[in-house]
Amino acid sequence: MADDDFRIKLTRDQALVLSDWLYHRMGTEEFDSLVNQDRAVWSPLHQIAGTLETSLVEVFMPDYAGRLDAARDRLLNSLGDVGLPIDEA
């Protein structure tokens, strides 16, 4: 099997929220211990996080927090009941 690149397409909102989530989770004891159960996962995680960090200009904008909140709201609105506890769905 060839070692070809693999592409994942995200909306800007998805990329912004995922980038922020990874930034806050990577390096925490809980997250790192989970990933360390299969250390090979670090390779794609670092690739994804690095690509997001270098591609999203929003992280350097003064209104980053507002942009992130708006992106999070748009994504939540598009999810419907996905991820809600059964009694809230």
Side-chain angles (χ1 to χ4, degrees):
M1 186 163 143
D3 190 25
D4 296 338
D5 288 344
F6 186 85
R7 297 185 188 273
I8 298 173
K9 190 172 183 176
L10 301 173
T11 65
R12 188 157 281 306
D13 285 349
Q14 290 169 332
L16 192 59
V17 170
L18 180 59
S19 176
D20 186 74
W21 187 85
L22 286 170
Y23 175 79
H24 285 96
R25 299 304 180 273
M26 290 175 76
T28 65
E29 184 177 340
E30 182 181 22
F31 185 86
D32 291 359
S33 66
L34 177 64
V35 176
N36 285 340
Q37 293 176 24
D38 184 357
R39 287 185 53 242
V41 175
W42 280 117
S43 178
L45 280 174
H46 281 290
Q47 183 68 37
I48 291 166
T51 300
L52 291 170
E53 286 178 15
T54 58
S55 301
L56 293 167
V57 297
E58 290 88 343
V59 298
F60 302 108
M61 294 181 170
D63 60 345
Y64 170 71
R67 288 173 180 267
L68 178 62
D69 288 341
R72 191 172 272 124
D73 288 344
R74 286 188 294 271
L75 292 176
L76 287 171
N77 287 334
S78 71
L79 281 175
D81 293 341
V82 174
L84 288 177
I86 293 173
D87 59 339
E88 290 182 36

